[in-house]
Amino acid sequence: MSQSFDALIIGAGQAGPSLAGRLTAAGWTVALVERQDFGGTCVNTGCTPTKALIASAKAAQTRRQAEQYGLPPAGEFTVDLAQVQARKDAIVAASRQGLEKWLTHMPGCTVFRGTARFLSATTMQVGDEVLAAKHIFLNVGGRPARPALPGIEQVPYFTSSTILGLQELPAHLVIVGAGAVGLEFAQLFRRLGSEVTLVERSPRLLPHDDEDVAAAVAEILTSEGITLRLGAECISLGQENGQPVVHVSCEENPASSQGSHLLLALGRQPNTDDLGLDKAGLQADKHGYIPVDEQLQTAVPGIWALGDCNGRGAYTHTAYNDFEIVAANLLDHEPRRVSDRLPVSAIYVDPPFAKVGLTEAEVHAAGTPALVGKRPMTKVGRATEKGETQGFMKVLVHAETDQILGASIVGVGGDEAIHCIITAMYARQTAAFMRHNVFIHPTVAELIPTVFGELKPLEKGEK
Ligand SMILES: Cc1cc2nc3c(=O)[nH]c(=O)nc-3n(C[C@H](O)[C@H](O)[C@H](O)COP(=O)(O)OP(=O)(O)OC[C@H]3O[C@@H](n4cnc5c(N)ncnc54)[C@H](O)[C@@H]3O)c2cc1C
């Protein structure tokens, strides 16, 4: 049976549902196909569940620190992971169900459940149905990568998705991979009460960020008792006495980390391998991403790719911005482009690390004459009042034009405070603009004008 629509949207992640809302409001008929959970990764196995767990972990940590706040000691306590997961599950379910209700009741939108595969550039099969449309929007996202590590077949392991179902606290969690996902799980499980070892191939954390950022994040983690095994050149997996072991060295008697549970956090893989792209005349790149232009159109007219599957972003905010770009171009005749957006992101270790724009290494590589301003969080009143003084704020400014080039904040409230710099950068504003602005006292952000007022030349290798 074949049904025709103005548009097919494949995937109810972070771009598809909002696009369905805009297109149907404009009078289009839309078929939206989802094979698993409404809300995709962010809602079900990504941002929402991890940030809910991180909140529980923070509460446990604050309870442990009671005496530092002049309160009676909390004493020893054990976390019931099942209860923590239940709180998280309720938050996730509310979000997923809200989205499902919105989509299934959206006038002009027909929801299909199943896996969509191309039959041609204008038709896709979902179960027994054939859906046809002149416009097809792929928002298929990704899943945890399964790297070809030696021994992976022999060892049971968790991914960032499956560990969200764990009901008993691991005695010792070994995590391989210190990207955002590995770092966040490391700290949250440590705070909930597990021993944690984090194994990473790079000689330092966050190799794409500045060394001072990596050092501050490493200090935050190690100060809480997390063991870092950095520079793990030859990672292989095994088992001893029924427990997972991660070998970290290429030497004959390799050093190893043994734990009770193993989490592999080694990146993500786009869900493009089972779409039948060739039937539509499309080809993924060597990493599985669907190449797109500045307006997110693929090489085949009438087919767009949005979100994680196009390799132009790996965040919810980039997926959502993809929706905005497509809607603006299609419906508003507004020529928005992917390259209009600034690179912004945060890693939700506590305190968080948030950044915008260029790093020092990128500024040096571009040969840009630059100034740097930096302030430790020990000199931020709000941070001392809160008893959370780890980290620093740092800004980079063009030495000749005064334009803001980038900023990193490792510190309490940094994920929120960075937005005043993001906004100024988007408005192509200068350090002088930041210095003249008045911010609310007492906040972390109120010191940002001060940081812009204490600029000095950026030397190569600046820490
Ligand atoms: C542990 C973790 C924590 C994260 N934390 C953050 C964070 O704090 N902030 C942030 O910005 N980002 C975070 N991310 C990343 C964020 O979740 C993703 O960037 C975002 O979800 C991408 O959205 P998307 O719409 O591209 O795809 P997804 O959200 O993955 O949605 C794709 C949807 O398509 C469906 N689908 C796939 N193939 C088909 C098919 N053939 N037919 C039908 N349906 C299909 C899938 O079932 C899925 O529902 C995190 C990710 C992880 C794993």
Side-chain angles (χ1 to χ4, degrees):
M1 215 175 96
S2 174
Q3 299 186 55
S4 289
F5 298 86
D6 294 323
L8 304 186
I9 298 176
I10 312 306
Q14 296 306 304
S18 301
L19 185 60
R22 278 298 315 270
L23 293 177
T24 52
W28 295 37
T29 55
V30 170
L32 186 139
V33 189
E34 173 53 57
R35 69 174 170 199
Q36 211 172 340
D37 295 322
F38 289 83
T41 306
C42 184
V43 168
N44 297 286
T45 55
C47 335
T48 305
T50 52
K51 272 74 235 178
L53 292 176
I54 285 167
S56 294
K58 169 85 172 170
Q61 185 71 355
T62 306
R63 180 170 167 182
R64 242 172 242 123
Q65 294 170 328
E67 282 175 284
Q68 289 176 31
Y69 292 90
L71 301 173
E76 287 292 309
F77 63 91
T78 310
V79 168
D80 180 350
L81 186 64
Q83 288 195 32
V84 171
Q85 297 279 31
R87 172 186 180 272
K88 172 264 290 172
D89 290 341
I91 294 167
V92 168
S95 181
R96 180 175 56 235
Q97 287 157 9
L99 187 67
E100 182 167 0
K101 193 172 169 197
W102 180 50
L103 287 170
T104 50
H105 289 78
M106 187 181 285
C109 179
T110 311
V111 170
F112 292 84
R113 289 158 210 264
T115 296
R117 289 189 185 85
F118 280 105
L119 296 171
S120 72
T122 52
T123 53
M124 296 191 83
Q125 178 130 24
V126 182
D128 296 335
E129 311 269 359
V130 174
L131 310 180
K134 279 193 191 150
H135 307 86
I136 297 182
F137 303 95
L138 303 172
N139 177 219
V140 292
R143 60 185 185 274
R146 192 176 187 283
L149 287 178
I152 193 167
E153 304 293 344
Q154 280 79 50
V155 187
Y157 64 89
F158 289 95
T159 66
S160 60
S161 301
T162 58
I163 203 162
L164 297 170
L166 189 64
Q167 298 295 305
E168 281 180 19
L169 204 60
H172 185 166
L173 180 64
V174 179
I175 302 176
V176 182
V181 170
L183 292 171
E184 291 181 9
F185 276 111
Q187 191 186 40
L188 86 85
F189 271 103
R190 177 69 191 134
R191 288 181 164 194
L192 293 176
S194 298
E195 290 291 317
V196 173
T197 301
L198 188 55
V199 178
E200 166 59 40
R201 202 182 301 267
S202 302
R204 69 167 169 94
L205 293 180
L206 303 170
H208 303 298
D209 291 296
D210 290 334
E211 272 179 44
D212 51 2
V213 166
V217 173
E219 166 62 23
I220 289 164
L221 299 184
T222 53
S223 69
E224 295 184 16
I226 293 168
T227 304
L228 298 182
R229 302 290 302 262
L230 304 176
E233 290 162 356
C234 296
I235 298 173
S236 66
L237 309 177
Q239 269 197 95
E240 271 170 35
N241 307 321
Q243 299 214 312
V245 178
V246 179
H247 302 289
V248 299
S249 159
C250 309
E251 286 156 24
E252 245 178 58
N253 285 319
S256 61
S257 291
Q258 183 163 14
S260 60
H261 296 66
L262 174 64
L263 168 63
L264 297 185
L266 291 161
R268 294 183 59 81
Q269 163 180 352
N271 290 325
T272 53
D273 40 354
D274 61 352
L275 273 174
L277 290 177
D278 53 326
K279 299 263 174 54
L282 280 170
Q283 209 180 353
D285 70 12
K286 64 178 179 187
H287 303 293
Y289 296 116
I290 303 169
V292 288
D293 66 13
E294 282 275 37
Q295 270 88 32
L296 303 161
Q297 297 189 82
T298 67
V300 175
I303 305 179
W304 286 254
L306 299 84
D308 282 11
C309 70
N310 65 23
R312 303 293 293 264
Y315 301 101
T316 284
H317 47 268
T318 48
Y320 188 80
N321 184 237
D322 284 359
F323 140 66
E324 294 181 317
I325 291 166
V326 169
N329 281 284
L330 268 181
L331 302 175
D332 305 332
H333 307 293
E334 208 188 319
R336 290 180 67 176
R337 297 171 306 171
V338 179
S339 56
D340 290 339
R341 70 183 173 223
L342 293 168
V344 295
S345 61
I347 297 179
Y348 292 87
V349 286
D350 177 48
F353 161 43
K355 67 173 178 180
V356 52
L358 300 178
T359 62
E360 283 184 30
E362 288 164 343
V363 168
H364 287 309
T368 308
L371 305 172
V372 61
K374 191 168 169 182
R375 188 176 196 87
M377 296 304 283
T378 47
K379 289 192 174 173
V380 175
R382 192 72 201 276
T384 29
E385 287 146 17
K386 286 186 163 196
E388 300 183 60
T389 52
Q390 287 166 305
F392 60 87
M393 301 197 264
K394 182 169 73 175
V395 300
L396 297 167
V397 173
H398 196 295
E400 288 156 10
T401 66
D402 204 35
Q403 292 276 320
I404 306 166
L405 300 172
S408 303
I409 305 181
V410 181
V412 60
D415 53 327
E416 301 288 349
I418 195 101
H419 283 89
C420 60
I421 305 177
I422 293 175
T423 304
M425 280 183 73
Y426 193 65
R428 299 183 193 284
Q429 282 296 343
T430 59
F433 171 84
M434 294 302 291
R435 281 195 297 273
H436 298 167
N437 210 349
V438 175
F439 288 174
I440 296 168
H441 174 78
T443 57
V444 171
E446 75 173 323
L447 268 303
I448 288 175
T450 311
V451 180
F452 277 103
E454 296 172 345
L455 300 174
K456 61 179 179 112
L458 175 68
E459 308 295 342
K460 199 150 185 140
E462 181 94 31
K463 295 264 166 59

